[in-house]
Amino acid sequence: MHNYLRSIGFSKLRTKEQEEILLGSVVARPMTKKMVANKETYDNLYAEYSTEYAPGLGLKICGTLDDKEKFHMDNYFPYLDGRFESTREMVYIDRKIGSLSFSGLCEDNRLGVSLIFQINNPAEIMGEGDTLEPSVSSVYLSGMSTEGVILLPTTNSDKVIDVQKGKDIKSFAKMIAEARAGEKEAVEKLTLAEIDTYMQIGNRVNNREDVFSIVETSLIPHGMEAELYKIVGIILQVDYYENKILMEKIIRMKLLCNGMIFDVCINEADLVGEAVAGRRFRGVIWLQGRVSRKTR
């Protein structure tokens, strides 16, 4: 059973039989159904069935249709459609081994690291032909969490929001790009800035200051799964939904994290604290992304 079913309001599913009933209902009566013919890569017609259980949250089942139009499920996953363009960078897309699912990779200079995420609109990607060809794309990131904690804001939160939305983050991203291009001056500036930050944090920790009063936002890989990240993000907006099948409450938050804006959803029962705009969310998320390919 998929670990993140609880994030879209199915925490009460306990058995394989219950899971099969849920998946069967999606295949039998999908809200949307997409098919892609790509005989060069796939033996059969690719089919994608999906159903929403709250606005922007639902379940997708991916598989193939044989010559007799019988559906064969390959994989399924809960999804959250991101509402905001998080980044517009070169995106590399690759099919996962042994599955009709895809991962995306982009290097946003605001982060300084490669961002790997689950593609949650595979039918659109497959319909474009060669999925391995990198292209400049708009990526609408989103995340699902199975446990999280609400942190109070710091005294600098308003300033941090202005900085991460303003010119400072763009200047930092530009410096990262120059350093990657081999410019010596940019490399030296980044090195000095990192040393200075390390010393400041060390001094404040030694003075028994709580680390979450120092680190406003963060996004770092978590564990061995490439699409999992441990984040601390500033909450900009909170929406409450209800799963229309089991009536479980779901919290959807618009977060600002390291200069990027994206959505995160979590089952209300899995969140410690009250989600309020201005506070911060800390937790582990499964990162997804809806990719819309563009040209510069």
Side-chain angles (χ1 to χ4, degrees):
M1 191 174 296
H2 203 291
N3 292 338
Y4 288 88
L5 279 175
R6 64 184 303 109
S7 301
I8 60 171
F10 288 106
S11 67
K12 296 175 184 177
L13 265 63
R14 293 286 187 268
T15 66
K16 194 69 176 177
E17 182 181 2
Q18 292 173 331
E19 178 190 31
E20 290 174 354
I21 292 173
L22 176 63
L23 298 179
S25 68
V26 176
V27 174
R29 296 177 297 277
M31 289 181 64
T32 60
K33 185 177 180 179
K34 297 179 181 179
M35 297 186 182
V36 180
N38 191 340
K39 294 294 185 179
E40 294 180 2
T41 309
Y42 307 100
D43 296 332
N44 298 310
L45 189 69
Y46 173 83
E48 179 183 293
Y49 301 85
S50 61
T51 295
E52 273 194 1
Y53 299 102
L57 298 100
L59 196 61
K60 286 190 179 182
I61 301 178
C62 307
T64 57
L65 289 175
D66 59 24
D67 295 337
K68 297 181 181 179
E69 296 189 356
K70 182 179 180 181
F71 179 72
H72 302 273
M73 187 182 79
D74 178 84
N75 70 91
Y76 78 92
F77 61 93
Y79 70 88
L80 169 64
D81 269 337
R83 298 171 292 181
F84 313 100
E85 184 183 69
S86 303
T87 182
R88 185 179 295 187
E89 298 290 341
M90 187 72 73
V91 176
Y92 298 80
I93 299 173
D94 200 1
R95 178 179 169 182
K96 295 181 180 179
I97 297 175
S99 175
L100 285 174
S101 57
F102 299 83
S103 290
L105 181 148
C106 70
E107 294 185 355
D108 193 304
N109 290 324
R110 290 171 294 180
L111 302 175
V113 297
S114 298
L115 203 61
I116 301 174
F117 54 92
Q118 161 90 16
I119 299 289
N120 65 5
N121 59 331
E124 295 174 23
I125 296 301
M126 292 174 63
E128 294 174 350
D130 186 0
T131 59
L132 300 182
E133 186 67 27
S135 65
V136 176
S137 305
S138 289
V139 182
Y140 298 80
L141 292 175
S142 57
M144 291 187 170
S145 180
T146 56
E147 57 179 322
V149 176
I150 298 299
L151 303 177
L152 293 174
T154 68
T155 55
N156 295 322
S157 288
D158 291 338
K159 181 180 178 181
V160 171
I161 292 174
D162 292 336
V163 168
Q164 294 199 12
K165 287 185 174 181
K167 294 181 179 179
D168 288 353
I169 193 70
K170 294 179 181 178
S171 176
F172 176 75
K174 182 181 178 182
M175 194 180 302
I176 290 282
E178 291 172 351
R180 284 177 171 169
E183 294 192 20
K184 186 177 180 180
E185 184 178 352
V187 174
E188 291 176 351
K189 286 182 179 179
L190 285 173
T191 303
L192 291 173
E194 186 174 344
I195 293 173
D196 185 50
T197 300
Y198 179 80
M199 292 181 64
Q200 288 183 30
I201 292 175
N203 291 334
R204 292 173 68 175
V205 170
N206 288 336
N207 289 330
R208 300 181 183 277
E209 190 171 349
D210 185 81
V211 67
F212 291 112
S213 67
I214 303 170
V215 179
E216 298 279 356
T217 68
S218 67
L219 188 151
I220 57 176
H222 176 76
M224 298 181 67
E225 293 284 345
E227 297 159 356
L228 295 183
Y229 294 86
K230 183 175 287 187
I231 70 165
V232 176
I234 299 174
I235 302 172
L236 302 180
Q237 178 182 324
V238 181
D239 296 296
Y240 292 87
Y241 299 127
E242 200 169 59
N243 181 302
K244 62 184 181 182
I245 302 297
L246 298 183
M247 311 307 290
E248 294 186 23
K249 292 183 179 180
I250 306 160
I251 300 174
R252 179 173 182 162
M253 295 170 283
K254 175 184 178 182
L255 299 184
L256 174 65
C257 181
N258 289 24
M260 293 196 307
I261 293 176
F262 55 91
D263 283 314
V264 167
C265 73
I266 185 171
N267 194 306
E268 185 182 47
D270 296 329
L271 183 64
V272 178
E274 183 181 1
V276 176
R279 296 181 180 178
R280 293 176 295 164
F281 170 81
R282 176 171 69 92
V284 175
I285 65 169
W286 175 39
L287 193 64
Q288 301 181 342
R290 175 166 54 87
V291 175
S292 175
R293 290 186 170 179
K294 297 181 180 293
T295 57
R296 288 193 185 274

